[in-house]
Amino acid sequence: MLRNTTARISDPCTIVIFGATGDLTRRKLVPALYNLRREGLLDTNTTILGFARREWSDDYFRTLLFDEGSKHSRARLDGGSWPEFIGRVSYIRSTFEDTEGYTALAERLDAIDAEQGTSGNRLFYLATPPESYEDIIKNLGAAGLANSPNNGWTRIIVEKPFGHDLESALHLNKVVHEVFEERQVYRIDHYLGKETVQNLLVLRFANGIFEPLWNRRYIDHVQITVAESIGVEGRGGYYEQAGAIRDMVQNHMMQLLSLTAMEPPVGGASADAVRDEKVKVLRAVRPVAPTDVNKISVRGRYSAGPGSAPAYLDETGVQPNSSTETYLAMRFEIESWRWAGVPFYLRTGKRLPVRASEITVVFKSAPLLLFQDGPMSRSAPNELSIRIQPNEGIALRFNSKVPGQAGDIRPVTMNFNYVDAFGGESPEAYERLLLDAMTGDTTLFTRSDEVETSWSLINPIIEGWKTLGSPIHEYVGGSWGPDASHEFIGSSGRSWRRLS
Ligand code: BG6
């Protein structure tokens, strides 16, 4: 993970995207692959095959990829390398259940290897609804596609959600492992592809000054916020089954928590060394008893606003008697020598005032408050904030004397901003992750034990909500969540950081 990636170029391979007619392919995957191509990081022989049920021709598929991709790509798609790139994209029509579709796929892959020199290297991408994962994996296995001819490699990327609960995640892992070895499996969490998330490890482990402070002795608590200003945007049907806990917490936010709290990996930053440490953190998180859920979590649901934005209950696909949360605040405790007694507060929500994701480490106050009386009392705890998006950067808050005779104190901020420091824009998360998969680096992908441990923490919380009939507090769309969430953190004398 910490190695220089500019030197890496993907092996020539064929990328088969299952569910290629969906949004993800047009908005994220194809633009990401094209941007890699433009930057010379995608081998020129790499070929893309869309596999889906709709009756589309190659030409129709390509036109749609251009039209939709143009709206979402970092670089314009009409640049010099587009015609050549899109010339290597084609489409296979089949249902995911039909075994003949996989026989045709196997033949097509052999032909591509012979014509394009892709050397038997294959990357399967499951971009379908999760209900189809099992059929696709089994059929790939049955068609002999789990291993490549000619000493090539075969890998499979599985999109989120990986399971709906612990049981289904265990089942899916079993299905996957009946066909693929774990080293071939890349469970994607796009948060791990974000530049700032990767920089968290660099900040912690490539600097000498932070690590000595990174523990219960100096840290009061940690806040992890993923705020979104959008609502469920037409995904009400899916979201009803997921809620904030499955959509954001089980995956993205638990990843942020484990990267913040993990120990330095031993023996270098190999994929398994990093993932071992992440799993250890999750194992150290104190499991929540279902009867305690109301003490450690607050759920909310947006009502109408801002402007004419509808209430969650009026979104398409949402049940009138819905019990799904669109906002969630939680507290986790990590039972380790480093973290005992340091709460990790997580909050995420839709229709909050801004889109802003951030990890903030709040340090303990100075042991002796020399300046607590009179005008010198406006000191605030030191905070280190890692801004994941937007305006990626890192900020350190400390107290400073206001110039003049009054001797007043005010918190000030030292800011590092990615764009100012490095210029230009960072690659999209999917660019990084697709390149990693093509070069065989699993560091930024979730291992089977990680996904299972994460679900084992989340399951009792969901159960507890059901059994206790835990309340859902309404909050006005465009506000910072329900009052109950401010009371929740406030009861410990702390408050949510203001994000803008
Ligand atoms: C997805 C969730 O995984 O992440 C969405 O399903 C959410 O509901 C999205 O909007 C947020 O991703 P990002 O990169 O925009 O923060």
Side-chain angles (χ1 to χ4, degrees):
M1 159 186 262
L2 307 179
R3 72 182 81 118
N4 177 357
T5 60
T6 50
R8 295 186 305 159
I9 297 188
S10 71
D11 296 335
C13 64
T14 308
I15 304 171
V16 182
I17 306 176
F18 291 94
T21 52
D23 274 355
L24 184 71
T25 307
R26 287 173 254 169
R27 292 186 183 188
K28 297 284 184 193
L29 304 183
V30 167
L33 290 166
Y34 176 64
N35 283 308
L36 289 173
R37 175 76 194 84
R38 242 184 80 250
E39 289 177 8
L41 299 170
L42 186 74
D43 186 278
T44 45
N45 285 332
T46 292
T47 302
I48 302 169
L49 269 184
F51 185 114
R53 348 173 182 218
R54 294 194 203 173
E55 294 281 356
W56 285 6
S57 65
D58 285 350
D59 278 348
Y60 184 74
F61 184 47
R62 291 175 184 155
T63 309
L64 212 76
L65 291 180
F66 180 81
D67 291 348
E68 277 289 305
S70 299
K71 297 181 205 149
H72 300 281
S73 172
R74 215 156 49 83
R76 292 173 62 100
L77 297 192
D78 48 8
S81 14
W82 178 258
E84 197 236 309
F85 171 86
I86 200 70
R88 289 178 187 275
V89 176
S90 51
Y91 185 79
I92 294 194
R93 197 253 142 211
S94 169
T95 64
F96 303 127
E97 302 84 37
D98 182 4
T99 52
E100 280 176 24
Y102 296 79
T103 313
L105 174 62
E107 283 164 13
R108 189 81 159 262
L109 286 169
D110 287 340
I112 292 172
D113 283 341
E115 286 157 25
Q116 315 286 346
T118 35
S119 317
N121 297 327
R122 282 130 196 214
L123 180 63
F124 298 118
Y125 199 119
L126 302 192
T128 62
E131 302 77 68
S132 300
Y133 291 175
E134 190 165 341
D135 279 330
I136 299 172
I137 293 165
K138 287 185 170 161
N139 282 328
L140 284 172
L145 285 170
N147 289 297
S148 305
N150 311 322
N151 295 325
W153 49 256
T154 297
R155 300 177 188 140
I156 182 162
I157 301 185
V158 187
E159 256 300 330
K160 75 170 266 259
F162 196 93
H164 184 73
D165 52 17
L166 178 60
E167 204 188 346
S168 53
L170 286 165
H171 176 72
L172 185 54
N173 270 335
K174 187 166 160 282
V175 169
V176 168
H177 290 149
E178 275 164 8
V179 177
F180 295 97
E181 287 175 36
E182 178 62 24
R183 63 176 172 78
Q184 298 176 281
V185 185
Y186 292 67
R187 295 172 195 78
I188 208 163
D189 183 314
H190 78 279
Y191 264 61
L192 291 179
K194 291 183 190 272
E195 275 293 331
T196 6
V197 175
Q198 294 164 50
N199 198 25
L200 183 54
L201 290 196
V202 176
L203 174 85
R204 288 192 56 199
F205 303 134
N207 292 294
I209 61 168
F210 299 114
E211 208 44 31
L213 306 178
W214 213 260
N215 56 55
R216 62 189 302 275
R217 194 151 170 213
Y218 300 103
I219 294 178
D220 176 75
H221 73 285
V222 175
Q223 292 191 16
I224 303 178
T225 302
V226 177
E228 295 189 277
S229 50
I230 54 170
V232 293
E233 311 296 294
R235 295 160 76 221
Y238 149 78
Y239 199 85
E240 267 293 271
Q241 306 304 316
I245 196 159
R246 291 186 171 94
D247 190 46
M248 299 300 290
V249 176
Q250 182 273 328
N251 36 63
H252 308 322
M253 296 191 78
M254 293 313 273
Q255 289 291 344
L256 299 181
L257 178 143
S258 43
L259 290 172
T260 309
M262 69 185 261
E263 297 298 319
V266 288
S270 75
D272 274 331
V274 172
R275 299 194 298 177
D276 286 345
E277 297 306 332
K278 283 167 63 197
V279 176
K280 277 194 217 161
V281 173
L282 295 179
R283 292 213 179 108
V285 172
R286 184 190 295 160
V288 176
T291 44
D292 284 344
V293 288
N294 290 339
K295 295 185 200 142
I296 60 95
S297 67
V298 172
R299 306 163 78 202
R301 175 173 62 214
Y302 60 80
S303 57
S308 57
Y312 177 69
L313 289 182
D314 296 327
E315 302 270 15
T316 320
V318 172
Q319 302 298 317
N321 59 350
S322 167
S323 61
T324 300
E325 75 288 343
T326 62
Y327 176 97
L328 179 58
M330 305 194 55
R331 186 183 66 238
F332 282 115
E333 307 277 342
I334 300 176
E335 295 184 315
S336 67
W337 277 43
R338 188 191 280 265
W339 294 115
V342 179
F344 279 66
Y345 288 97
L346 273 50
R347 79 179 146 156
T348 183
K350 299 230 178 249
R351 284 271 160 71
L352 300 186
V354 290
R355 173 175 187 252
S357 300
E358 185 179 285
I359 300 168
T360 297
V361 176
V362 183
F363 291 90
K364 290 185 173 164
S365 298
L368 194 60
L369 292 178
L370 294 180
F371 311 106
Q372 58 187 328
D373 297 325
M376 302 175 91
S377 60
R378 272 192 271 162
S379 66
N382 299 129
E383 287 179 355
L384 181 71
S385 299
I386 296 124
R387 178 83 162 195
I388 296 163
Q389 62 192 20
N391 313 323
E392 291 85 348
I394 298 172
L396 179 66
R397 182 173 83 171
F398 56 93
N399 296 306
S400 171
K401 178 181 171 300
V402 179
Q405 306 303 333
D408 203 358
I409 289 183
R410 281 221 202 115
V412 291
T413 304
M414 210 153 69
N415 258 319
F416 149 69
N417 181 294
Y418 265 68
V419 175
D420 295 345
F422 300 117
E425 51 181 8
S426 305
E428 284 272 328
Y430 277 96
E431 293 174 37
R432 166 71 197 223
L433 295 172
L434 281 161
L435 184 59
D436 279 0
M438 287 185 274
T439 52
D441 184 350
T442 50
T443 315
L444 296 177
F445 295 85
T446 316
R447 213 169 52 188
S448 57
D449 50 351
E450 211 175 335
V451 83
E452 289 170 11
T453 314
S454 169
W455 274 120
S456 68
L457 292 167
I458 298 300
N459 247 36
I461 300 171
I462 300 175
E463 256 173 56
W465 286 343
K466 271 198 212 134
T467 339
L468 300 185
S470 119
I472 304 240
H473 304 271
E474 294 268 319
Y475 60 98
V476 179
S479 72
W480 274 111
D483 292 345
S485 131
H486 299 281
E487 289 153 17
F488 165 67
I489 191 167
S491 65
S492 67
R494 303 176 174 108
S495 57
W496 292 117
R497 235 178 85 78
R498 271 165 197 262
L499 304 189
S500 52

